[in-house]
């Protein structure tokens, strides 16, 4: 039986994936901006705009956002800049 995934709050930030929001021109706010990070356990942490309520009535039928989850949006160019650093498997 496969064990259900749960986020590990003990994991630490290891490295930024892709370019920073400042490098991509996505912010003028300094440190408060979108980001993508690899954690010490291999999971990925995403900092973005909480759009849970805005998208709630438009989620695809097979998508749900749990009580302890948030739908987060980041700029496309940020995800694209991280793609070369994400493993294929």
């Amino acid at each position: 039986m496969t064990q259900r995934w749960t986020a590990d709050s003990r994991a630490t930030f290891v490295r930024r994936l892709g370019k920073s929001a400042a490098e991509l021109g996505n912010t003028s706010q300094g440190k408060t901006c979108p980001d993508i990070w690899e954690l010490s356990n291999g999971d990925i942490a995403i900092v973005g705009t909480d759009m849970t309520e805005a998208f709630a009535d438009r989620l695809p039928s097979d998508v749900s956002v749990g009580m302890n989850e948030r739908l987060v949006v980041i700029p496309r160019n940020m995800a694209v800049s991280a793609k070369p650093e994400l493993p294929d498997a």
Side-chain angles (χ1 to χ4, degrees), residues 26-67:
N26 292 337
T27 185
S28 61
Q29 301 295 319
K31 292 185 177 183
T32 59
C33 43
D35 224 335
I36 305 173
W37 282 79
E38 179 180 359
L39 300 177
S40 58
N41 65 356
D43 286 346
I44 307 297
I46 308 249
V47 178
T49 302
D50 182 353
M51 298 293 287
T52 307
E53 290 184 31
F55 281 91
D57 62 345
R58 294 180 279 152
L59 292 173
S61 61
D62 61 341
V63 175
S64 63
V65 179
M67 294 297 290

Side-chain angles (χ1 to χ4, degrees), residues 20-29 33-34 74-78:
S20 70
E23 290 174 290
L24 293 168
N26 292 337
T27 185
S28 61
Q29 301 295 319
C33 43
I74 61 170
R76 177 182 173 79
N77 64 351
M78 180 167 280

